[in-house]
């Protein structure tokens, strides 16, 4: 296995209330978690302060989105400065729901990446193809183009995690097979090696998202270029603990 620290993110999306999230937090706080795995929970913005105040400090917290400037007349948006002020160290950017439901462009996502990294926020940057793109054989073209726009806005790769999430597998119950996930991750690492450097390619964590469950996580985690997960629905359930522990201690 590589020296890259396994990374498991939970994306709670627009789910939960103080009662249910409080119960989930209690489960995570009392669970036995592999201390060789980095864990980050993406909470709805209105609950960021609440979650950070309750969640054990061994678990990080992420915002699920933010804007590209520090402050201003941008109704409904939050800035990296506000996220940092709540004691949060991470943000999820470019999730397919932001791209395809809310119409965010590669360019906007790139600008957000640059501003967040400049504001000392870690970035979980999401990429992935739609079903029609996979069926048309353009998966590589799509994810390489998305990755290029992100890479053009990164100076320090130590604060970036790349999340490959095939859109056809998000919330559908369809999961990329371990072989499919490994194939894309390996090609992404090859792109980083060819276009950036060996050091970046060897150190950047590329995590998989798309219907990850307690039942399929171990086989996915065994793939050499799968460095963790971004988990949706299952991150709201007790099985999230099993996913965190998918790769046992060395």
């Amino acid at each position: 296995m590589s020296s890259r620290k396994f990374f498991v993110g939970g994306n709670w999306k627009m789910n939960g209330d103080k009662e249910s999230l409080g119960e989930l937090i209690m489960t995570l706080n009392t669970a036995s978690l592999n201390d060789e795995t980095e864990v980050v929970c993406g909470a709805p913005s209105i609950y960021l302060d609440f979650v950070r105040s309750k969640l054990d400090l061994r678990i990080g917290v992420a915002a699920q989105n933010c804007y590209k400037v520090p402050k201003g007349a941008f109704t409904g948006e939050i800035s990296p400065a506000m996220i940092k002020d709540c004691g949060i160290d991470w943000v999820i950017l470019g999730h397919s729901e932001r791209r395809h439901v809310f119409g965010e462009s590669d360019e906007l996502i790139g600008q957000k990446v640059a501003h967040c990294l400049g504001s000392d926020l870690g970035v979980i940057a999401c990429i992935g193809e739609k079903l029609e793109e996979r069926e048309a054989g353009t998966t590589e073209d799509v994810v390489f183009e998305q990755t290029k726009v992100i890479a053009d806005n990164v100076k320090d790769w130590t604060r970036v995690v790349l999340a490959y999430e095939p859109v056809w597998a998000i919330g559908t119950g369809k999961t990329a097979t371990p072989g499919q996930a490994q194939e894309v991750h390996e090609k992404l690492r090859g792109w980083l090696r060819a276009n950036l450097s060996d050091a970046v390619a060897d150190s950047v964590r590329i995590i998989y998202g798309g219907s990850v469950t307690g039942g399929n996580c171990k086989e996915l985690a065994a793939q050499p270029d799968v460095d963790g997960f971004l988990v949706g629905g299952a991150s709201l359930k007790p099985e999230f603990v099993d996913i965190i522990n998918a790769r046992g201690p060395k």
Side-chain angles (χ1 to χ4, degrees), residues 87-142:
I88 311 302
D89 294 321
W90 289 92
V91 64
I92 301 168
L93 294 177
H95 191 278
S96 68
E97 287 147 11
R98 299 305 313 174
R99 293 175 186 269
H100 303 305
V101 178
F102 297 100
E104 293 191 7
S105 66
D106 281 346
E107 181 185 23
L108 175 60
I109 292 160
Q111 291 167 342
K112 290 182 179 189
V113 168
H115 181 58
C116 287
L117 292 173
S119 304
D120 199 30
L121 264 186
V123 171
I124 302 167
C126 301
I127 55 177
E129 83 284 5
K130 293 188 280 194
L131 181 59
E132 57 266 33
E133 291 166 336
R134 172 164 280 270
E135 289 177 341
T138 59
T139 294
E140 283 179 53
D141 297 339
V142 171

Side-chain angles (χ1 to χ4, degrees), residues 11 13 63-65 91-100 104-106 109-110 113 123-129 142-143 145-150 160-167 170 188 205-210 229-231:
N11 181 9
K13 306 190 180 183
Q64 297 176 12
N65 186 38
V91 64
I92 301 168
L93 294 177
H95 191 278
S96 68
E97 287 147 11
R98 299 305 313 174
R99 293 175 186 269
H100 303 305
E104 293 191 7
S105 66
D106 281 346
I109 292 160
V113 168
V123 171
I124 302 167
C126 301
I127 55 177
E129 83 284 5
V142 171
V143 297
E145 180 56 33
Q146 292 170 341
T147 304
K148 182 183 188 308
V149 177
I150 291 163
V160 179
V161 172
L162 271 183
Y164 168 61
E165 296 200 296
V167 181
I170 298 173
L188 279 166
R205 291 172 291 183
I206 306 175
I207 64 177
Y208 170 78
F229 305 114
L230 187 57
V231 185

Side-chain angles (χ1 to χ4, degrees), residues 18-250:
K18 285 187 176 179
E19 183 181 6
S20 64
L21 294 179
E23 291 171 2
L24 178 61
I25 287 166
M26 195 174 300
T27 298
L28 292 171
N29 285 352
T30 56
S32 175
L33 304 181
N34 180 1
D35 59 11
E36 293 175 10
T37 294
E38 185 170 2
V39 184
V40 174
C41 292
S45 60
I46 200 165
Y47 295 134
L48 286 171
D49 225 355
F50 170 78
V51 171
R52 183 62 288 171
S53 68
K54 302 284 187 187
L55 194 59
D56 192 294
L57 289 175
R58 66 186 169 154
I59 301 172
V61 179
Q64 297 176 12
N65 186 38
C66 69
Y67 200 50
K68 62 179 181 178
V69 293
K71 60 181 181 178
F74 302 102
T75 301
E77 292 290 337
I78 60 173
S79 70
M82 293 171 176
I83 295 167
K84 292 286 289 184
D85 195 37
C86 289
I88 311 302
D89 294 321
W90 289 92
V91 64
I92 301 168
L93 294 177
H95 191 278
S96 68
E97 287 147 11
R98 299 305 313 174
R99 293 175 186 269
H100 303 305
V101 178
F102 297 100
E104 293 191 7
S105 66
D106 281 346
E107 181 185 23
L108 175 60
I109 292 160
Q111 291 167 342
K112 290 182 179 189
V113 168
H115 181 58
C116 287
L117 292 173
S119 304
D120 199 30
L121 264 186
V123 171
I124 302 167
C126 301
I127 55 177
E129 83 284 5
K130 293 188 280 194
L131 181 59
E132 57 266 33
E133 291 166 336
R134 172 164 280 270
E135 289 177 341
T138 59
T139 294
E140 283 179 53
D141 297 339
V142 171
V143 297
F144 288 172
E145 180 56 33
Q146 292 170 341
T147 304
K148 182 183 188 308
V149 177
I150 291 163
D152 287 346
N153 287 280
V154 175
K155 293 188 178 76
D156 179 8
W157 280 94
T158 64
R159 301 303 310 278
V160 179
V161 172
L162 271 183
Y164 168 61
E165 296 200 296
V167 181
W168 48 271
I170 298 173
T172 61
K174 294 178 183 172
T175 312
T177 65
Q180 285 174 319
Q182 168 59 22
E183 180 184 19
V184 177
H185 283 227
E186 186 177 12
K187 286 175 177 172
L188 279 166
R189 206 172 299 286
W191 187 94
L192 295 173
R193 195 175 306 283
N195 292 277
L196 298 172
S197 70
D198 286 342
V200 169
D202 291 335
S203 63
V204 169
R205 291 172 291 183
I206 306 175
I207 64 177
Y208 170 78
S211 299
V212 177
T213 66
N216 61 25
C217 60
K218 279 192 163 57
E219 198 179 352
L220 284 161
Q223 303 304 308
D225 288 295
V226 174
D227 302 315
F229 305 114
L230 187 57
V231 185
S235 69
L236 293 156
K237 302 171 186 174
E239 72 181 288
F240 187 47
V241 173
D242 299 326
I243 298 171
I244 291 168
N245 293 330
R247 184 177 286 178
K250 291 188 179 72

